[in-house]
Amino acid sequence: MKPLDTLPTGAHPGEGRLDTGIPHNWMTTKLDYVINWARRNSLWPMPFGTACCAIEMMASAASKYDIGRFGMERMSFSPRQADLMIVAGRVTYKLAPVLRRVWDQMPQPKWCVSMGACASSGGMFDNYTIVQGIDTIVPVDVYVPGCPPRPEGLIYGLLMIQEKIKGESLADPRARDEAPEAVGRPNLPPETIELVAQPFGNSTNQNRMSGLGPTSALARSRDRRERRLEHRD
Amino acid sequence: MVRVAPLDGKAASHPSVRALRERFSEGARRVESDALGYPVVWIDPRINGEALRFLREAPDQAYDLLADLMGAHAGIGAPIQVWYQLWSMAHGRQLRIACEVPMHDLELDSVTDLWLAADWLEREVWDMYGVSFRGHPDLRRILMPENYEEGFPLRKDFPLRGRFSRSAQVSRALSRDLIDIYAVDELEMAGYAVTDDGGVRAPPERAAEGGAPGGIRDVSPDEQPEDALEGEPILINMGPQHPATHGVLRLVLQLDGERVVRCSPHIGYLHTGFEKTCEFREWNQCVPYTDRMDYLAPMLYNIGYAGAVEALLDVEITERCRVVRVILGELNRILGHLLWLGTTAIDIGAFSVFLYTFQERERIYNLHEAYTGGRITTSVTRVGGMMADLPVGWTAAARDFAATFPETLDEVERLLSRNAIWQGRTMDIGVLSADRAVSYGVTGPTLRASGVAYDVRKARPYLGYEEYDFDVPVGTAGDVYDRYLVRVEEMRQSVRIIEQALERLPGGPINIDDYRIVLPPKGEAMGSIDTMISHFKLVMEGVRVPAGETWYSIESSKGELGFGIVSDGGTKPVRCRFRGPSFINIASLPELVRGELVADVVAINASLDVVLGEIDR
């Protein structure tokens, strides 16, 4: 038989006859394949838009870019009827419990796209109020870089989610189980959060002590060396 | 750090300064001049309430608009400064009252009874600096979580990345009790008992469920369901994740049936710490932060910020730069109003308008992209000029946009203006009277829809706006429909301004020729040692701005956009305050929705045209 991907394009219920060679429109395929096919072509995104990226997300849904072409135009504003959370924009510590709660409310199977630099890493806001990457709060499947990413970037990220779904298997026990013990808890252990949230490259004139004393690029390099020593221990 | 300018004739002869000195001889001794020239009166913090009452209520003063109330901190150990930025519509006068509050006695008189705008502004100063206000009805945190434990973020002894480690910040944020996100009176309304030590006890019938506040009781078999709801307040939590709040705004609504009895907005879910972060960036490095505050009309923020720093530097930008900024500013006013129109129409149920307006937005994005390379985050200005000159062919594209855009606007108007559903949903809804609007400090199209013709472009022209021929549309009813009409007409006026500006766009350099402020062209930097040194100093250190302070404002698409900037002569700001018009405008929401239907809350909230990045900063 032919795999589903090579169906004639005009085929739809009532008129389309699958050329399977078997009477009464029977066909056989792998369960994984058909489930993943259904899942990836009708994703219902839950737009968790907060800032600039949300405007680009709206542009992706509007006339010029139109993510309806990929079966995703049905934006679901209720987490209960969504399977893809798009976190677009900066997330603050005040918003973090809301983000986690929305994620916990989404039923499995669910995926998460972190759209933009702020959601992925805190971006240019390495300060007291911004979460340094939402992966400290919820598991992320695809990171879309950019500040903000263009609509094409978001669409590419969503196509990567589709690719990822293609490779999933029902037999994989890690994949899609509900985990009640993780509800409302950080996604990463404290040590890892400390590690991923360190100041990095472009935080000019800024280090862990910023605001308490004079800081400069020189002080920052010493700071880095100290950290390296810490890690060696 | 504060420039003690010799009292110039203009400031000394200001009638309010004279009157203040006569009345409070001891309390108002220090008079300075802002970088823009209007007077700054430093008063004794013990008499701030009295002095401001005099300025508000005396008929020959009549400062009816509290444009801004902000704090500033010069350094560890220094007193906290509180600025009151006043504007008198009747007399067309500007004045700043400032006081230094010593750290051991951080208390001032509240002015909430003089200006309604002071309510939220004082809460913000309390939140950020820990200055408490005597007589404030509801002094609690506004941007940070209510039980925030790390301190007062904008004080200089507060580290940029917070006091706790990142893992502690994450785990504390996630373990926050849901009860903590409600205000005390909201909890009491839902039957929760609040003990004196701040503990909360759930009402007996809900304690077992452990649920969040609600208000519906069970219906007994012998009564009608309607009877059960009679007189029972229902508490509804709307947001922060809600499609119709235009961002992460959260409203707690108390309902009587379908009618709103009380609404309390909770903000701060997008508090990004712009003001603190900018204190750690060089003057030009702050530009990218400004356009992420109002991502609906980013260039207006760029232009306003650059203008404020140039006021401190006391430099005159070139004529070409001025005209280019006017063109870009008006394009962005259209951009902001278009997004407002599209999303408001969705909220009210007219989806197709969104597709029309986004089509036009894409065309403006193309202009952005051709010039800056970015669609939203443009970062187009630099102190003393622009990031680059306009690319070849840009003006022709802009002219094309200005010529064809009004057609789409006509189409959209045909869809909405006479539409019975649109009129039914917007007329006589959310009426804001002129004097309440001024007292709330509401500015921009929302204020003009209420019949007050206050537009910074006319009141205190900047960038040569006095030379352009344009009208300021003013509404009469002050309802949602008038706000719609005012914004649509403003887009037409912006097109007029763009056409005039394109017509007069002069040649010549776009940046000033002072290489202590703007980067010299690459060719010159390699050619002579002087320019090379300037280039090196600018790249390695950044612009030095002379010590001083200013509060400068422009008209953004949402209202008066103010920049309160303090410099100590270094390469970074000491204080960078952004007076986002949305922050002040949204404070009037509880009054506007009182007595309206729940469905109208969405329309009214949308009609204020808020952007959360600017409310929460």
Side-chain angles (χ1 to χ4, degrees), chain A residues 26-107:
Chain A
W26 276 86
M27 50 177 269
T28 58
T29 179
K30 285 196 295 188
L31 191 57
D32 268 345
Y33 188 90
V34 76
I35 284 179
N36 289 341
W37 170 79
R39 278 178 176 175
R40 75 171 183 271
N41 288 315
S42 66
L43 283 170
W44 285 12
M46 155 86 214
F48 195 94
T50 62
C52 333
C53 290
I55 306 299
E56 285 296 52
M57 184 164 59
M58 281 162 70
S60 320
S63 23
K64 187 169 172 187
Y65 294 98
D66 189 16
I67 52 174
R69 292 177 291 162
F70 307 101
M72 296 177 204
E73 79 277 30
R74 199 280 186 187
M75 290 282 176
S76 172
F77 291 98
S78 159
R80 299 286 185 200
Q81 283 117 32
D83 48 13
L84 171 68
M85 181 163 73
I86 305 177
V87 183
R90 33 194 198 258
V91 175
T92 64
Y93 288 116
K94 192 171 178 176
L95 195 60
V98 180
L99 174 70
R100 181 70 217 193
R101 177 163 277 227
V102 167
W103 176 252
D104 288 336
Q105 283 173 338
M106 284 168 59

Side-chain angles (χ1 to χ4, degrees), chain B residues 515-538:
Chain B
Y515 293 153
R516 287 168 303 172
I517 296 169
V518 296
L519 279 178
K522 209 64 176 182
E524 272 186 57
M526 293 301 161
S528 91
I529 187 69
D530 294 352
T531 38
M532 189 175 211
I533 289 171
S534 307
H535 190 277
F536 180 80
K537 294 279 271 185
L538 274 181

Side-chain angles (χ1 to χ4, degrees), chain A residues 93-94, chain B residues 123 126-127 138-152 176-187 194 198 200 250 252 264-269:
Chain A
Y93 288 116
K94 192 171 178 176
Chain B
R123 276 177 69 189
W126 157 252
D127 192 2
D138 185 22
L139 196 64
R140 57 194 164 88
R141 286 194 182 266
I142 184 164
L143 295 177
M144 304 307 295
E146 287 200 12
N147 51 359
Y148 188 64
E149 296 160 294
E150 297 181 49
F152 300 105
R176 199 160 285 143
D177 193 341
L178 264 193
I179 289 299
D180 290 337
I181 65 175
Y182 288 90
V184 170
D185 51 342
E186 288 158 9
L187 290 171
V194 180
V200 175
R250 173 165 164 251
V252 178
S264 65
H266 291 239
I267 61 169
Y269 288 96

Side-chain angles (χ1 to χ4, degrees), chain B residues 2 15 42 70 94 104 111 128 144 153 171 179 221 309 312 323 354 385 467 479 490 517 555:
Chain B
V2 174
W42 289 85
M70 57 173 269
Q94 200 175 6
H104 57 83
V111 292
M128 291 293 147
M144 304 307 295
S171 61
I179 289 299
V309 181
L312 262 187
V323 177
F354 168 75
E467 299 157 17
D479 57 4
E490 273 192 12
I517 296 169
E555 181 76 22

Side-chain angles (χ1 to χ4, degrees), chain B residues 470-491:
Chain B
F470 67 101
D471 302 319
V472 175
V474 174
T476 48
D479 57 4
V480 176
Y481 188 68
D482 269 17
R483 284 172 215 143
Y484 154 74
L485 289 182
V486 165
R487 290 204 175 92
V488 170
E489 186 52 34
E490 273 192 12
M491 285 194 256

Side-chain angles (χ1 to χ4, degrees), chain B residues 109-143:
Chain B
D109 277 329
S110 168
V111 292
T112 40
D113 53 336
L114 303 176
W115 294 279
L116 292 165
D119 184 354
W120 278 28
L121 289 166
E122 285 178 356
R123 276 177 69 189
E124 193 193 347
V125 174
W126 157 252
D127 192 2
M128 291 293 147
Y129 290 97
V131 178
S132 66
F133 291 88
R134 269 186 300 266
H136 190 287
D138 185 22
L139 196 64
R140 57 194 164 88
R141 286 194 182 266
I142 184 164
L143 295 177

